[in-house]
Amino acid sequence: MGIFADTRRYVAEAWQAWSRFWFAPKDPATLSLIRLLAGSLLFYTHLVWSLDLQAFLGPDGWLPVDYLRTIHTLPGDQQAQWSVWSLFFLIKPPWLLWCVHVFALLVFLCLMLGLFSRAMATLAFLLAVSYAHRVSPGAFFGLEKINCMLAMYLMLGPCGARYSLDSLRRLRRGITDPVRPSTSANVAIRLTQVHLCIIYLFSGLAKQMGENWQAGTAVWWALANSEYQSLDMTWIASWPKFGPVLVALLTHATLFWEMYYCCLVWNRFTRPLVLWMAVGVHVGIALCMGMITFGLAMLYANLAFINPTTVRRWVDPLAGWVAANFVAPIANK
Amino acid sequence: MAKKRQEQSSDEPPPLKTARKKKPTTQRAASDLPWHPFWRWIVSLIVVLHLTAVLSAPWDLATLDALPPGYAPPSDANGRPQPLPPPESVVWQDPVVTRGLHRFFHDYLNLLYLNHGYEFFAPDPAGTHVIDYQVTQADGNVAEGRLPSHDGQWPRLLYHRHMMLAEQTQLMGPQSGQQYANHLATVYGGPSKMQLKMHFLLPPHRVADNTPLDAPSTYQVIGTVAGHPRVSAHTSRNIPSSEAPVSIPGAQP
């Protein structure tokens, strides 16, 4: 009797905790902030393709579609995998390529501004995956992975509830109800959080296999790579005693942080430390190794762990100032 | 309110009798949530499947086939050890769960662009690949360049895309280099010649001795490719054998 009752109680409490974790309504402020920032990043990173659109995304270019599809074919198969899809596999004339590209940029811009946010988030995800598959392999790197992840989870929740033109449109229509907490906003944020934990865990596990990460020298080899280098940090080598220790500390701290991020980020006492470490690591990579867009993408994903109340405290005054000084004068004209 | 109830129950684990009294409270708290339990079950199932899929790709990529503990490769008549058994040999032990999960979710992962690992600068930061090219144009001028290069490849993201082009020849094999050479030949309108180089990294003592990171001795040519302008979009793959890559030492066909 006792064991059954205890088990039943355990299951009920576990279900309750699970339900609250995933389905408790949350203010969509965090999701809205991620939309604003991730939308701007999607817009910029895809705008850069315009500088050599035909070469990277055209039917020929560096890697012709016909050749790329042979790489997408599994051993023993005759045809490329159907599930590796992209609009750009179908587009032939340059004018159509440019039309789709301009349309995509408008979608990313609308997502950033928060105009028809939910629909734009869905389109942004489909378009981002289209670009990513066209350049994978070839010119892709971690940025595509994070861009697509952010766009995917944005479309699940009311990402335009705050800091958006959608919210101003609601006000103009006379809808002054406060933004209500949303279950789907919580689902979207939770998925981003758990996905981010998986990313850091496997990134850490992969590094753990490396001898230089174990030995504490990996950061040096990253800094000494002149193709990546955007800020010369090799002066560390001129400190024969202190330099190796600093490099080793940075290497071990990075590895430890990545491997245990998935545990420490859930505790409210260790979370600020973990998130500030994320800022340090990604800003460091952005400044020293020139991967600014990738660093920003990772930092925007980390915002999922910022409480909506905190987001509102930080962003609401700025959003109010922008609305009063830039949007209202235009709207009143 | 609900949070307070949760904190109370976690701070003071109650005896069974108290717990029984609290049971209606628990049910009430769960019913406060806006979605009907049926929909919560459905979404929970989708969430679990999705996260399992997200996990399965990097997990599978992080696992390797293993040889049995203490496995010693067979030796030939002279006692020299033979190479490791081929991948299809039954000696190798597959990680069945990770391979099975990855296979099950394969198309779902592809559709959502999730079919990848997250091995950033892993297992070790390594040297990079660069491509030097020369194209003899129709008027006899020679165009030269490098992938990646800070000359003209701006902003930084565009530079990085070109760096990835050079780097990912290692993922795709020698045919990718041929495609690059043909592209350059098409763009500049003349035969192209391309060298794939490995750029090795310098240890701290060499840098302390003022050896530049891009000293010529740090580059090693690992392949040379000749390219010709593409006739049309659909003939680029049918390159005559005489125009195939000149040599890529160590590269597999």
Side-chain angles (χ1 to χ4, degrees):
Chain A
M1 176 81 180
I3 194 166
F4 287 117
D6 282 352
T7 305
R8 202 171 54 187
R9 184 159 60 89
Y10 166 78
V11 171
E13 287 181 359
W15 170 244
Q16 187 196 6
W18 169 272
S19 291
R20 186 166 293 112
F21 181 84
W22 287 102
F23 305 114
K26 255 192 185 161
D27 189 307
T30 305
L31 193 68
S32 301
L33 178 63
I34 294 176
R35 185 217 78 242
L36 173 67
L37 298 171
S40 65
L41 192 69
L42 281 162
F43 177 73
Y44 172 73
T45 55
H46 288 82
L47 182 66
V48 171
W49 289 124
S50 316
L51 298 171
D52 209 359
L53 188 71
Q54 198 69 29
F56 282 101
L57 298 157
D60 295 321
W62 291 109
L63 291 169
V65 169
D66 290 348
Y67 168 70
L68 196 68
R69 294 302 277 161
T70 63
I71 297 178
H72 293 158
T73 306
L74 293 174
D77 284 357
Q78 297 294 318
Q79 287 192 321
Q81 301 170 71
W82 64 269
S83 51
V84 181
W85 65 277
S86 170
L87 280 177
F88 299 104
F89 295 160
L90 310 172
I91 293 172
K92 302 278 182 214
W95 65 266
L96 186 56
L97 178 67
W98 275 102
C99 286
V100 171
H101 182 58
V102 170
F103 173 71
L105 291 178
L106 287 173
V107 166
F108 297 135
L109 187 66
C110 287
L111 180 68
M112 178 183 85
L113 298 174
L115 186 63
F116 312 117
S117 307
R118 201 74 175 265
M120 289 303 133
T122 307
L123 281 173
F125 171 64
L126 295 173
L127 288 163
V129 172
S130 267
Y131 280 85
H133 273 148
R134 176 62 186 90
V135 296
S136 302
F140 85 105
F141 63 109
L143 176 66
E144 271 68 41
K145 301 174 185 181
I146 311 303
N147 266 348
C148 290
M149 178 193 83
L150 290 171
M152 177 168 63
Y153 295 134
L154 282 176
M155 71 180 178
L156 299 182
C159 58
R162 293 187 186 279
Y163 320 130
S164 64
L165 292 181
D166 284 343
S167 59
L168 290 176
R169 285 171 62 231
R170 278 194 298 273
L171 285 174
R172 280 177 65 86
R173 288 204 302 263
I175 304 169
T176 53
D177 298 345
V179 175
R180 283 187 298 183
S182 155
T183 298
S184 58
N186 189 29
V187 173
I189 287 292
R190 292 299 193 192
L191 283 169
T192 311
Q193 291 173 337
V194 178
H195 198 142
L196 196 59
C197 286
I198 291 171
I199 289 174
Y200 281 127
L201 174 64
F202 282 98
S203 181
L205 288 173
K207 287 183 176 69
Q208 177 59 29
M209 305 280 283
E211 292 173 355
N212 289 284
W213 285 100
Q214 293 172 12
T217 55
V219 165
W220 167 261
W221 299 113
L223 295 176
N225 191 321
S226 63
E227 271 74 34
Y228 274 101
Q229 190 182 80
S230 52
L231 184 66
D232 188 359
M233 297 292 287
T234 52
W235 49 263
I236 290 176
S238 60
W239 294 355
K241 284 188 180 171
F242 181 66
V245 176
L246 178 64
V247 165
L249 286 175
L250 289 172
T251 305
H252 293 315
T254 305
L255 184 56
F256 183 87
W257 165 75
E258 279 204 334
M259 288 191 64
Y260 294 101
Y261 180 100
C262 60
C263 305
L264 300 177
V265 79
W266 299 104
N267 181 288
R268 65 193 172 104
F269 293 109
T270 50
R271 187 181 306 140
L273 301 176
V274 170
L275 294 182
W276 277 115
M277 182 75 184
V279 172
V281 168
H282 292 302
V283 169
I285 290 173
L287 292 180
C288 299
M289 305 186 71
M291 300 171 73
I292 300 165
T293 46
F294 176 69
L296 287 176
M298 293 302 290
L299 288 177
Y300 296 165
N302 271 282
L303 286 175
F305 283 100
I306 305 292
N307 194 301
T309 315
T310 311
V311 168
R312 291 199 61 188
R313 201 169 60 243
W314 291 349
V315 184
D316 277 10
L318 183 65
W321 182 82
V322 170
N325 290 285
F326 295 99
V327 183
I330 296 169
N332 292 334
K333 274 182 185 175
Chain B
M1 188 68 181
K3 198 172 181 180
K4 272 187 183 174
R5 276 198 297 274
Q6 193 186 29
E7 280 169 3
Q8 280 167 2
S9 62
S10 62
D11 289 341
E12 299 163 20
L16 196 57
K17 279 185 179 176
T18 318
R20 279 183 186 148
K21 281 178 189 170
K22 281 196 171 180
K23 197 174 156 189
T25 314
T26 302
Q27 285 174 340
R28 223 177 18 250
S31 67
D32 286 347
L33 298 173
W35 288 0
H36 188 276
F38 173 77
W39 290 115
R40 274 188 267 144
W41 270 105
I42 295 292
V43 175
S44 295
L45 185 66
I46 294 169
V47 161
V48 168
L49 285 172
H50 171 76
L51 291 176
T52 309
V54 168
L55 183 81
S56 70
W59 191 17
D60 187 32
L61 290 170
T63 51
L64 301 170
D65 291 3
L67 290 165
Y71 173 84
S75 51
D76 65 10
N78 297 322
R80 287 176 301 203
Q82 295 296 297
L84 290 175
E88 61 274 14
S89 167
V90 291
V91 178
W92 289 104
Q93 305 169 103
D94 283 341
V96 288
V97 171
T98 64
R99 296 284 187 273
L101 276 175
H102 195 184
R103 210 176 300 122
F104 180 76
F105 287 114
H106 182 266
D107 287 324
Y108 176 77
L109 292 166
N110 275 343
L111 284 169
L112 301 183
Y113 196 71
L114 292 168
N115 202 358
H116 42 65
Y118 301 101
E119 293 153 354
F120 309 129
F121 297 100
D124 277 317
T128 43
H129 294 85
V130 298
I131 291 173
D132 284 336
Y133 63 84
Q134 283 185 333
V135 189
T136 308
Q137 294 169 289
D139 57 5
N141 289 331
V142 176
E144 291 181 327
R146 168 172 282 191
L147 306 178
S149 164
H150 289 292
D151 295 333
Q153 291 164 16
W154 186 91
R156 178 75 188 195
L157 181 56
L158 189 66
Y159 167 88
H160 206 88
R161 297 293 186 195
H162 286 93
M163 180 159 65
M164 290 299 110
L165 282 177
E167 200 59 40
Q168 290 175 25
T169 52
Q170 303 309 296
L171 285 178
M172 295 180 282
Q175 264 296 317
S176 58
Q178 182 66 63
Q179 296 296 345
Y180 296 169
N182 289 347
H183 171 68
L184 289 166
T186 309
V187 168
Y188 288 101
S192 66
K193 191 181 171 190
M194 226 175 66
Q195 282 189 323
L196 179 64
K197 295 177 177 176
M198 181 74 197
H199 184 193
F200 294 99
L201 305 177
L202 291 177
H205 68 272
R206 295 277 310 276
V207 175
D209 291 345
N210 293 324
T211 308
L213 292 176
D214 57 352
S217 61
T218 59
Y219 291 92
Q220 183 188 342
V221 177
I222 58 173
T224 307
V225 183
H228 294 267
R230 291 175 183 135
V231 177
S232 77
H234 299 289
T235 55
S236 58
R237 284 168 61 202
N238 305 321
I239 303 153
S241 57
S242 60
E243 295 173 12
V246 175
S247 63
I248 297 192
Q252 298 297 315

